[in-house]
């Protein structure tokens, strides 16, 4: 029965890293065809929110997340872009008889390189801290656990954009993501009762990796003084981790999940996304992005709104 959240096997995914990096590095490929010779420095802000659901034999696990990211990047020699970001967020998760919250802080670095005209490689990495508080009901007792987990993750994507004409394009891509979580030893304390059912957890290091394969299909529009970019993503994700008793609960900007016995996420899932971006005179750009991961007992939904300005 999924009556407790086991922070001892913390797991995580970096889908939100990819989503945010894709937004800030090449959110409007049509616009990047017109490179500016100056004004290479850019700042951006992104707001994200999402939810996750994993079905298990003893009950469902549900999670929600939200946060804000700030970043800045610069173009180099028209083929390189590199930058950094800081993100803060909040996550909440529930299973039968248990719940938890996490206050998150992330520091990120990312880079984008174009090659052979329309080819690209995106690389990103982050360092994260998660202050986690859990609450668990065990018989007559109410138990609480607190721990700070550290996260190190990275994601790399390569693709090539094929322009079918001046407005339509298709970009096949392949991506690999890997993360590690370190959770120090901690123990539950009773909020009510004698603490007879309190649990102690040993130090635990967790590793996970996944691959993605798909295509991004886009079209550009000229509307008044704006360039509008509309892009859909169709893809497939494969989990490389084969640990049977591990479960990602919620992903945030590189977000963290907490393992739960008897709930195993789908190993093969579909990636579906929609990206809308508007850009005006190479100055201010803004837009929104929606991403989903669906398959078997797994449903993950993420939304991001962003605004960027260039000097």
């Amino acid at each position: 029965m999924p009556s407790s959240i086991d922070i001892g096997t913390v797991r995580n995914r970096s889908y939100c890293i990819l989503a945010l990096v894709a937004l800030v590095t090449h959110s409007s490929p049509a616009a990047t065809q017109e490179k500016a010779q100056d004004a290479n420095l850019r700042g951006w802000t992104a707001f994200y929110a999402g939810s996750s659901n994993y079905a298990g034999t003893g009950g469902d696990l549900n999670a929600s997340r939200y946060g804000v990211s700030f970043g800045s990047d610069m173009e180099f020699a028209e083929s390189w872009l590199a930058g950094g970001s800081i993100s803060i967020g909040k996550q909440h998760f529930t299973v039968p008889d248990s719940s938890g919250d996490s206050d998150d802080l992330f520091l990120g670095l990312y880079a984008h390189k174009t090659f052979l005209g329309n080819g690209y490689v995106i690389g990103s990495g982050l360092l994260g801290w998660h202050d986690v508080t859990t609450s668990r009901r065990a018989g007559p007792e109410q138990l609480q656990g607190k721990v700070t987990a550290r996260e190190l993750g990275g994601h790399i994507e390569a693709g090539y954009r094929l322009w079918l004409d001046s407005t339509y394009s298709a970009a096949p891509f392949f991506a690999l993501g890997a993360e590690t979580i370190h959770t120090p030893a901690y123990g539950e304390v009773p909020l009510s009762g004698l603490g007879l059912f309190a649990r102690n957890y040993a130090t635990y290091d967790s590793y996970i990796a996944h691959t993605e394969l798909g295509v991004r299909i886009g079209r550009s529009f000229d509307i008044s003084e704006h360039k509008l970019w509309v892009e859909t993503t169709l893809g497939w994700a494969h989990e490389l981790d084969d640990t049977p008793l591990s479960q990602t609960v919620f992903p945030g900007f590189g977000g963290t999940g907490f393992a739960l016995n008897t709930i195993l996420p789908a190993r093969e899932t579909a990636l579906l996304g929609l990206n809308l971006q508007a850009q005006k005179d190479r100055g201010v750009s803004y837009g929104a992005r929606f991403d989903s991961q669906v398959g078997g007992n797994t449903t993950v939904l993420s939304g991001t709104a962003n605004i960027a300005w260039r000097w």
Side-chain angles (χ1 to χ4, degrees):
M1 296 292 291
S3 59
S4 67
I5 297 171
D6 179 7
I7 310 298
T9 46
V10 174
R11 313 311 295 266
N12 135 79
R13 289 187 186 133
S14 61
Y15 291 124
C16 283
I17 299 177
L18 175 61
L20 285 170
V21 170
L23 273 173
V24 300
T25 56
H26 66 167
S27 58
S28 181
T32 60
Q33 290 184 318
E34 302 173 5
K35 290 287 186 180
Q37 299 304 314
D38 52 12
N40 289 329
L41 183 64
R42 178 176 57 170
W44 56 270
T45 300
F47 302 90
Y48 67 87
S51 65
S52 306
N53 173 268
Y54 298 88
T57 57
D60 288 2
L61 187 153
N62 295 285
S64 61
R65 63 198 176 276
Y66 57 88
V68 60
S69 301
F70 304 93
S72 181
D73 52 57
M74 180 175 289
E75 295 178 358
F76 300 92
E78 297 189 354
S79 63
W80 278 96
L81 182 148
S85 66
I86 182 171
S87 304
I88 54 176
K90 183 86 172 180
Q91 306 185 69
H92 177 73
F93 50 94
T94 61
V95 294
D97 299 322
S98 300
S99 64
D101 293 279
S102 175
D103 295 316
D104 305 324
L105 172 66
F106 299 98
L107 301 178
L109 295 174
Y110 58 89
H112 176 277
K113 167 68 171 144
T114 58
F115 63 92
L116 299 178
N118 296 322
Y120 69 88
V121 175
I122 301 172
S124 63
L126 68 80
L127 181 63
W129 294 263
H130 308 275
D131 289 329
V132 181
T133 301
T134 65
S135 178
R136 182 171 65 91
R137 171 65 66 178
E141 297 184 343
Q142 187 68 40
L143 304 168
Q144 184 183 77
K146 291 188 176 182
V147 66
T148 298
R150 297 194 304 271
E151 171 186 0
L152 181 65
H155 202 103
I156 186 169
E157 174 184 324
Y160 195 89
R161 185 166 298 277
L162 305 169
W163 287 94
L164 307 179
D165 56 25
S166 60
T167 58
Y168 288 93
S169 72
F173 69 90
F174 175 79
L176 173 66
E179 299 86 31
T180 179
I181 294 285
H182 172 74
T183 307
Y186 75 100
E188 294 178 326
V189 297
L191 299 180
S192 63
L194 300 177
L196 299 177
F197 298 98
R199 295 179 177 178
N200 293 320
Y201 298 93
T203 299
Y204 190 85
D205 291 306
S206 178
Y207 307 91
I208 191 171
H210 72 274
T211 60
E212 300 173 13
L213 180 65
V215 62
R216 308 186 195 280
I217 302 172
R219 183 185 177 184
S220 63
F221 300 85
D222 289 322
I223 302 176
S224 184
E225 298 178 350
H226 290 74
K227 285 185 176 294
L228 176 64
W229 178 253
V230 180
E231 184 176 68
T232 59
T233 299
L234 303 173
W236 161 65
H238 172 69
E239 297 298 325
L240 299 178
D241 176 45
D242 59 0
T243 303
L245 297 179
S246 63
Q247 156 69 27
T248 299
V249 175
F250 52 86
F253 178 73
T256 296
F258 302 91
L260 184 67
N261 292 347
T262 77
I263 294 184
L264 186 66
R267 189 148 189 183
E268 315 294 338
T269 52
L271 301 177
L272 306 173
L274 177 64
N275 184 20
L276 304 174
Q277 297 295 316
Q279 186 163 334
K280 182 178 180 180
D281 299 332
R282 294 287 292 170
V284 176
S285 61
Y286 51 91
R289 179 179 179 129
F290 174 79
D291 291 283
S292 65
Q293 179 192 358
V294 182
N297 66 333
T298 300
T299 303
V300 180
L301 307 176
S302 300
T304 307
N306 67 285
I307 182 170
W309 52 96
R310 187 178 293 279
W311 296 278

